[in-house]
Amino acid sequence: MEFSNDYALLNEIYLTGVMGVESIRGLLPKVKSPRFRTDLQRQNEQYQSVAQEADTALNQMGKCPEEPCPSQLAMLKLGLYANSLCNRETSHLAEMMIQGSNMGILALTKVLNTYQEEDTPARALASRTLAMEEENIRRMKAYLQ
């Protein structure tokens, strides 16, 4: 696998982690359910962990991860605010988290499908991140009503 392929993959993993952390940071103050709060905090730790792993791998390559652009973060925060302004029910917040996880799955899968070479540590981390996102969706489905 070429250097740029691992870079693209690790960078996408990093972005997935950062956007997950930012999403949860925006939703936690609105959460009423202690059980839901615990699940979000667990997800937050997972997102921080994969972002850190990707950051470490990129640093070992002599690269720094690309940070989300300010407009992406602004759109995320505005979307979280607008979507939870009138409805802060656990079911609705869980649906928002499912949509965010689906966006992460789509972005990461696109990069994985672009570079279908042999297994590398970057691909292994991407596979673990996808499995994490799928498990997060499964857990969030329990809150839908």
Side-chain angles (χ1 to χ4, degrees), residues 43-112:
Q43 283 187 33
N44 192 52
E45 291 169 8
Q46 292 172 335
Y47 284 125
Q48 288 175 345
S49 177
V50 297
Q52 181 59 49
E53 283 186 63
D55 182 49
T56 298
L58 285 165
N59 288 334
Q60 289 172 350
M61 297 167 69
K63 295 288 185 179
C64 292
E66 291 178 24
E67 296 295 330
C69 68
S71 63
Q72 282 178 304
L73 290 174
M75 298 257 310
L76 172 69
K77 290 175 184 180
L78 181 61
L80 291 172
Y81 176 78
N83 281 314
S84 61
L85 186 61
C86 295
N87 188 351
R88 293 183 176 191
E89 295 300 317
T90 299
S91 178
H92 181 67
L93 299 179
E95 184 177 339
M96 291 170 62
M97 287 302 298
I98 289 169
Q99 290 170 351
S101 288
N102 277 327
M103 289 170 48
I105 288 170
L106 289 171
L108 196 48
T109 300
K110 285 179 183 179
V111 177
L112 268 172

Side-chain angles (χ1 to χ4, degrees), residues 1-19:
M1 184 178 242
E2 292 180 3
F3 174 79
S4 62
N5 296 353
D6 278 346
Y7 174 78
L9 194 51
L10 290 166
N11 200 60
E12 192 60 49
I13 294 165
Y14 179 81
L15 289 173
T16 296
V18 169
M19 296 302 273

Side-chain angles (χ1 to χ4, degrees), residues 124-137:
L125 179 56
S127 294
R128 287 197 337 264
T129 303
L130 286 172
M132 177 196 78
E133 289 284 35
E134 290 165 358
E135 177 60 21
N136 289 343
I137 289 170

Side-chain angles (χ1 to χ4, degrees), residues 1-2 5-6 111-120 123:
M1 184 178 242
E2 292 180 3
N5 296 353
D6 278 346
V111 177
L112 268 172
N113 287 344
T114 302
Y115 309 114
Q116 296 187 3
E117 289 88 0
E118 70 280 351
D119 290 333
T120 65
R123 287 185 66 80

